[in-house]
């Protein structure tokens, strides 16, 4: 039974008990809770008041209202939207984001890229971040940030988590999706799954990862609980210093990834006040991501990934290619 409060439906195991205790006072008995829950469940089901897995419109639920991801229009909360996930940050299209605007191009820039290419990468990573905001669909690509330590990867992932909110975030690794039969269940009902600093250990089985990014039905297991099925709606985001190799010989893995290289290490010259400054700009950053996702919706698909980044990601994820690089010496034929 979900309770509508502050603009969002939330499942609260203690809601019925609390209301009964307040209403009945000294006449309250724990035995009343189960019978009341059964009655309410029957009445709500018969009236069709069942929360959908996906909402009907691409409306982002923020603490102050519902943001239309197609137009950026802000509407008032209303239970008729049947929204059951609210981000942790308010939307503020007028908030300046000076720190974020200078930081993001800096961490994505490499000497080989032109200003136009860097601007395209900034737009691309913001559009990809925006896919976690849409409650009507499953993001079909996972974000994968790679590069040296102290390069800003984890900072960007923490921005994602801060926007989504703790209750809407899980932390399942790519390796756990491959080997742990209970891992996929943790993605149920989440907006975001984020796992930083992945091991470079080889990943053998990608079937579950492909299901959670492919709008496929996932058979999930709860430890000491019942099996259930669901379709994941969360955006998956990973980061690693050294990319894990995968067993996938086809393009299926590459096609489900949005890689972004963070090529610059700031070790020894970190701005320790940077993250606090970025977090102060979160309402404006969210507005940037909403605008970016509007472009994604209007175009109907993802923007092309930077070619050099995709080539590097693909080769470092291919264990055969890595074996060749590590074990063979290329010489010119005479």
């Amino acid at each position: 039974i979900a309770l509508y409060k502050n603009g969002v439906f939330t499942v609260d195991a203690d809601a019925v008990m609390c209301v009964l205790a307040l209403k009945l006072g000294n006449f309250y008995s724990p035995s009343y809770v189960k019978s009341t829950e059964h009655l309410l469940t029957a009445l709500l089901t018969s009236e069709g008041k069942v929360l959908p897995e996906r909402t009907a419109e691409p409306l982002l639920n923020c603490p102050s209202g519902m943001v239309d991801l197609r137009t950026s229009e802000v509407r008032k909360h209303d239970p008729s939207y049947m929204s059951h996930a609210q981000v942790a940050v308010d939307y503020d299209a007028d908030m300046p984001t000076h720190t974020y605007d200078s930081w993001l191009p800096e961490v994505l820039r490499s000497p080989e890229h032109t200003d136009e290419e860097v601007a395209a990468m900034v737009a691309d990573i913001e559009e990809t971040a925006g896919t976690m905001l849409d409650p009507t669909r499953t993001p079909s690509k996972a974000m994968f940030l790679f590069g040296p330590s102290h390069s800003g990867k984890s900072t960007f992932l923490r921005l994602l988590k801060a926007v989504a909110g703790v209750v809407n975030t899980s932390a399942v690794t790519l390796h756990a999706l491959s080997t742990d039969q209970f891992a996929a269940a943790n993605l149920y009902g989440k907006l975001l799954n984020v796992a930083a600093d992945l091991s470079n250990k080889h990943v053998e089985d990608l079937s579950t990862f492909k299901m959670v990014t492919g709008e496929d039905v996932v058979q999930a297991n709860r430890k000491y609980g019942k099996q259930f099925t669901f379709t994941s709606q969360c955006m998956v985001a990973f980061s690693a210093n050294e990319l894990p190799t995968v067993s996938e010989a086809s393009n299926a893995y590459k096609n489900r990834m949005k890689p972004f290289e963070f090529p610059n290490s700031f070790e020894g010259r970190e701005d320790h006040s940077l993250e606090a400054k970025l977090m102060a700009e979160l309402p404006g950053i969210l507005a940037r991501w909403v605008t970016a996702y509007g472009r994604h919706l209007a175009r109907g698909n993802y923007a092309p990934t930077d070619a050099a980044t995709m080539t590097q990601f693909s080769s470092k994820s291919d264990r055969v290619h890595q074996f060749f690089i590590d074990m063979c010496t290329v010489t010119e034929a005479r």
Side-chain angles (χ1 to χ4, degrees), residues 4-75:
Y4 185 75
K5 187 178 181 180
N6 297 326
V8 63
F9 282 100
T10 305
V11 175
D12 186 346
D14 297 327
V16 173
M17 178 185 67
C18 293
V19 172
L20 285 176
L22 289 172
K23 294 287 187 183
L24 299 179
N26 292 335
F27 296 100
Y28 170 80
S29 171
S31 62
Y32 295 153
V33 176
K34 282 297 179 186
S35 58
T36 304
E37 287 179 344
H38 290 159
L39 176 61
L40 287 173
T41 301
L43 290 173
L44 292 169
T45 303
S46 66
E47 294 174 11
K49 294 180 179 179
V50 178
L51 289 176
E53 275 199 347
R54 301 170 187 239
T55 58
E57 295 182 272
L59 301 176
L60 172 66
N61 192 330
C62 296
S64 60
M66 308 290 291
V67 181
D68 191 322
L69 296 172
R70 298 160 296 190
T71 63
S72 299
E73 172 196 4
V74 181
R75 307 182 189 178

Side-chain angles (χ1 to χ4, degrees), residues 10 63 103 127 138 153 187 200 203 206 231 246 250 255 286-287 326:
T10 305
W103 170 78
E127 288 184 20
T138 298
K153 305 184 302 296
L187 276 61
N200 63 354
V203 180
L206 292 168
T231 302
V246 298
S250 69
N255 291 341
L286 175 59
D326 293 340

Side-chain angles (χ1 to χ4, degrees), residues 87-98:
V87 296
V89 174
D90 256 328
Y91 170 88
D92 187 348
D94 297 322
M95 174 178 279
T97 54
H98 301 307

Side-chain angles (χ1 to χ4, degrees), residues 64-131:
S64 60
M66 308 290 291
V67 181
D68 191 322
L69 296 172
R70 298 160 296 190
T71 63
S72 299
E73 172 196 4
V74 181
R75 307 182 189 178
K76 292 182 179 180
H77 285 130
D78 193 295
S80 64
Y81 292 129
M82 302 289 274
S83 176
H84 47 85
Q86 185 179 88
V87 296
V89 174
D90 256 328
Y91 170 88
D92 187 348
D94 297 322
M95 174 178 279
T97 54
H98 301 307
T99 302
Y100 173 81
D101 294 344
S102 61
W103 170 78
L104 189 56
E106 182 183 12
V107 295
L108 292 173
R109 183 183 300 277
S110 71
E112 293 77 22
H113 287 118
T114 65
D115 290 343
E116 291 76 14
E117 289 171 331
V118 173
M121 288 189 289
V122 168
D124 193 13
I125 198 171
E126 290 185 330
E127 288 184 20
T128 306
T131 61

